[in-house]
Amino acid sequence: MACFSCCSTKFLSIIFLISAIPIGYLIRLETAKPASHVYAYYSPGWMRECTKWDDVDNRFIVSFFEGGMGVVPIPLQDTKRLEEIRVVNKDAELGGNATLGFTIDRPRNRVLACIGDVLGNRYSALAAYDITTWKRLFLTKLSGPEDEKAFADDVAVDEEGNAYVTDPKGSKIWKVGVNGEFLETIRNPLFTPDGWQNKFVGINGIFYHPNGYLLVIHTMAGELYKVNIGKGGEVVVVKLVKVVEGGPLKFGDGLQLLSPTKLIVAGNPTRLVESSDDWETAKVLGVTKGASHRIVTAATVKDGRVYLNHIFGLGYPKRKHILMEAVF
């Protein structure tokens, strides 16, 4: 996402939020002692959409708004020294597009990453990279200029290696096979709730539950969906998860499963949500803001602790980015 314009409602929403913060207040927030543990690193770019913890190689993997991905190694001593991010891939042919949400597909030793045109919403793709060599394994085009406006934002992977990619512009899910073959587009009336405001950013964060279904969040409506994806030609069934306490989950962005019964809905604010009936219903257990002036977009789990990715880096000439522990 090297370039942006008014065509990107998600980007406009972020800019509106950050521009509403007075400079003096921003400085005070930035210099205040953090309320919880923070990992910080330097990076040349301003915006970092998603971060995931790679427990095998003891590092954070980060996606770049300007395109590409990087890694931040964490010393075993867990020192406070700021690390410098190391770029691991940068596809020249994808220049001008952002690398957004991604997931680690550990059984296949790869990373699945969303590629999207946030400038004009005219290109979407799913890329797969070997997590060791960072060689690209496949690139599957999901939409182009000939299609309706869309952009690939987040992805989940099931036990068979199928990927599910959300489009918050068109509120749909693309399904891609284990070898990169495009399989289908999943649409449902529940994904498009009434109200003009719900069209700005639709279904967004997505996570595959080990019990065999997807959990998906609608950012503006704050609705959580349980998507039974079916196998062998079975019909996809979408249900609205009834949030009986602490809902709706408005401005939820990335999803991260903490356990089969607990879900992190990263956003502004971030919520810890629990279900005791296999995600037919749920309730909010706790809320946290993270570093609110940096805007939370994703969450990851390291050693049982939740860390929040903040989209904005601050500082000059190098930007300081932070991953803050979520305390509920």
Side-chain angles (χ1 to χ4, degrees):
M1 295 185 190
C3 301
F4 306 94
S5 79
C6 59
C7 297
S8 169
T9 52
K10 183 174 183 179
F11 179 69
L12 274 178
S13 299
I14 292 170
I15 291 300
F16 175 79
L17 286 171
I18 201 71
S19 63
I21 303 174
I23 296 299
Y25 182 58
L26 182 67
I27 293 173
R28 189 161 77 248
L29 288 173
E30 188 63 17
T31 56
K33 182 180 179 180
S36 60
H37 182 256
V38 171
Y39 286 107
Y41 65 91
Y42 284 126
S43 177
W46 288 104
M47 303 174 77
R48 299 290 174 253
E49 168 76 4
C50 184
T51 301
K52 295 297 180 183
W53 173 245
D54 176 6
D55 59 345
V56 173
D57 295 304
N58 204 59
R59 62 188 181 178
F60 289 107
I61 303 175
V62 184
S63 63
F64 299 167
F65 251 63
E66 66 271 23
M69 304 185 78
V71 297
V72 183
I74 301 300
L76 294 178
Q77 305 93 323
D78 192 16
T79 66
K80 294 183 179 180
R81 175 172 59 89
L82 268 66
E83 297 292 328
E84 195 89 28
I85 199 165
R86 178 172 66 87
V87 178
V88 291
N89 75 55
K90 193 87 170 175
D91 283 341
E93 67 179 285
L94 297 175
N97 293 295
T99 305
L100 299 166
F102 68 91
T103 190
I104 299 173
D105 183 9
R106 182 59 64 189
R108 296 160 196 86
N109 197 52
R110 64 184 185 175
V111 167
L112 299 171
C114 296
I115 311 296
D117 167 26
V118 183
L119 172 63
N121 308 146
R122 307 308 290 169
Y123 181 77
S124 295
L126 178 70
Y129 301 97
D130 184 286
I131 200 171
T132 303
T133 65
W134 292 102
K135 177 183 178 181
R136 195 174 75 194
L137 304 175
F138 66 74
L139 177 69
T140 302
K141 180 181 174 182
L142 301 173
S143 71
E146 68 278 9
D147 301 309
E148 65 179 355
K149 287 191 174 185
F151 69 94
D153 192 77
D154 203 4
V155 58
V157 62
D158 66 20
E159 71 275 5
E160 296 177 352
N162 299 307
Y164 303 85
V165 181
T166 57
D167 166 26
K169 185 71 176 177
S171 278
K172 59 182 181 289
I173 300 172
W174 293 290
K175 183 177 180 179
V176 177
V178 63
N179 296 313
E181 64 276 21
F182 178 81
L183 297 179
E184 63 176 316
T185 300
I186 301 171
R187 299 177 187 268
N188 190 278
L190 288 177
F191 292 161
T192 54
D194 292 336
W196 61 268
Q197 71 281 3
N198 293 327
K199 301 186 187 309
F200 281 105
V201 185
I203 59 170
N204 194 344
I206 187 169
F207 206 92
Y208 180 76
H209 194 283
N211 288 350
Y213 50 83
L214 301 166
L215 292 172
V216 187
I217 189 74
H218 189 294
T219 294
M220 297 306 294
E223 294 182 344
L224 183 66
Y225 306 106
K226 179 181 180 180
V227 182
N228 289 290
I229 50 182
K231 296 179 181 178
E234 295 177 11
V235 176
V236 174
V237 177
V238 180
K239 295 181 179 180
L240 179 65
V241 178
K242 185 177 181 180
V243 182
V244 297
E245 185 178 324
L249 306 174
K250 285 184 178 292
F251 305 113
D253 196 333
L255 298 184
Q256 174 67 53
L257 207 64
L258 187 58
S259 74
T261 62
K262 292 182 179 179
L263 178 73
I264 304 299
V265 181
N268 301 276
T270 293
R271 288 96 161 182
L272 172 61
V273 184
E274 182 182 48
S275 175
S276 59
D277 56 6
D278 201 29
W279 297 98
E280 295 295 314
T281 64
K283 63 180 179 180
V284 176
L285 294 182
V287 179
T288 187
K289 292 183 178 180
S292 57
H293 61 294
R294 286 176 174 259
I295 312 298
V296 175
T297 54
T300 190
V301 177
K302 178 184 182 297
D303 302 326
R305 300 162 74 180
V306 177
Y307 284 88
L308 303 178
N309 176 85
H310 297 76
I311 197 167
F312 283 105
L314 297 172
Y316 186 83
K318 294 185 294 185
R319 261 60 70 187
K320 176 184 173 183
H321 293 264
I322 66 169
L323 299 162
M324 178 177 288
E325 183 183 3
V327 178
F328 297 98

